[in-house]
Amino acid sequence: MKINVDGKEISIKSVNDQDYISLTDIAKKRDSQEPFLTIRSWLKNSNTLPFLEMWEKLNNPDFKPDQMDRFKLVAYEGRVNLSPKQYIEQTGAIGITSKSGRYGGTYAHRYIAYHFAMWLEPAFQLLLVTEFDRLKTEEATRLDSEWSYSRFLTKVNYGIQTEMINRNIVPRIGKGDKPFVFASEADLLNVAVFGMTAKEYREQFPKEKGNLRDTATIQQLTVLANLESINAHL
């Protein structure tokens, strides 16, 4: 995924379900040939490391604060031109990732990327935040539309499934057991997709509004709609 910020293409990737923005692409705003030098200059800045340390303490239980103290000491003395890889390896940091090679580069959690962009050029940081927010708003709107369509599809296919039950099963068992058959067929698919029945969901989440299908993901609803169609055919 990429966004265009002030004429520069900035890559975004997902790391543990979080958005990480390319520091390498942002750094090209200053040095298009050797962006890694810009990132290293930022990394040893006296304002950068305390910010990174606080982010890691808030988000990373495996962060090594003692190692961070050593890293800061060396960075501030300026004896060594420290790299993101060295920072990650020494402190166990997860807010920044760095990989060599053609498809590599240095990425950081969006909050850290915003900090880097602010250090580089405040106006550019504002453009980056604005464009990223626009992207996420469009993405949320699209996902909401896809979810609504998938939920609608499961309701349509559920209707087809109940019609087939009415035609093929109810005449054999009697109308008195019809509600039980509808529920058992629905729960057969609920267990396959969600791992629980509708009743088990209500017992486990008594404060939730609606049923377990109302809290499903797009992927779950898509699978459920397909299973309902197959079940109706069977």
Side-chain angles (χ1 to χ4, degrees):
M1 184 187 306
K2 293 179 182 290
I3 55 176
N4 190 295
V5 182
D6 195 26
K8 295 290 183 182
E9 278 200 337
I10 310 295
S11 298
I12 302 170
K13 69 176 182 179
S14 179
V15 178
N16 296 324
D17 295 325
Q18 295 288 323
D19 291 309
Y20 276 51
I21 301 174
S22 173
L23 299 188
T24 302
D25 289 343
I26 295 173
K28 290 178 182 178
K29 174 72 175 173
R30 173 175 293 181
D31 189 339
S32 60
Q33 299 302 314
E34 297 180 309
F36 64 92
L37 294 179
T38 300
I39 296 173
R40 289 185 176 189
S41 294
W42 165 76
L43 189 60
K44 66 181 182 181
N45 183 271
S46 60
N47 291 322
T48 298
L49 292 177
F51 177 86
L52 293 178
E53 183 176 22
M54 180 56 68
W55 189 95
E56 294 292 341
K57 286 180 177 179
L58 292 173
N59 298 278
N60 180 9
D62 297 320
F63 181 62
K64 305 170 184 174
D66 292 342
Q67 294 296 329
M68 182 62 164
D69 290 339
R70 297 188 183 94
F71 186 88
K72 286 192 291 187
L73 179 62
V74 175
Y76 294 158
E77 289 180 352
R79 294 175 298 175
V80 182
N81 197 7
L82 297 167
S83 69
K85 279 189 175 182
Q86 289 172 306
Y87 162 70
I88 295 166
E89 290 170 358
Q90 291 182 29
T91 66
I94 61 173
I96 296 177
T97 68
S98 190
K99 183 179 179 182
S100 303
R102 181 179 177 184
Y103 299 104
T106 299
Y107 286 75
H109 184 275
R110 65 184 187 281
Y111 291 163
I112 297 174
Y114 293 162
H115 184 279
F116 176 60
M118 175 63 79
W119 172 83
L120 187 67
E121 186 179 312
F124 186 78
Q125 189 254 16
L126 178 59
L127 294 174
L128 174 65
V129 172
T130 301
E131 184 60 22
F132 182 81
D133 284 350
R134 181 199 62 78
L135 173 70
K136 301 309 291 185
T137 299
E138 288 184 356
E139 186 179 87
T141 301
R142 176 180 58 81
L143 290 174
D144 183 61
S145 297
E146 291 179 359
W147 187 93
S148 297
Y149 173 74
S150 297
R151 187 70 180 98
F152 169 76
L153 193 59
T154 61
K155 291 181 178 179
V156 170
N157 284 356
Y158 180 74
I160 297 173
Q161 177 177 277
T162 56
E163 176 61 24
M164 291 302 101
I165 292 171
N166 269 323
R167 289 185 188 181
N168 301 287
I169 298 178
V170 172
R172 291 188 281 109
I173 65 171
K175 293 183 178 181
D177 291 326
K178 184 164 65 172
F180 171 76
V181 176
F182 286 161
S184 63
E185 288 291 330
D187 274 336
L188 179 69
L189 303 187
N190 286 337
V191 171
V193 177
F194 306 108
M196 66 179 71
T197 65
K199 180 181 178 182
E200 289 171 340
Y201 174 81
R202 289 193 300 271
E203 292 174 347
Q204 189 170 344
F205 304 100
K207 295 183 179 180
E208 289 290 338
K209 296 180 180 180
N211 58 49
L212 77 175
R213 300 186 181 200
D214 292 324
T215 59
T217 65
I218 293 173
Q219 292 81 3
Q220 288 172 326
L221 290 176
T222 302
V223 171
L224 185 61
N226 289 333
L227 287 178
E228 285 175 338
S229 178
I230 294 171
N231 195 37
H233 176 73
L234 294 174

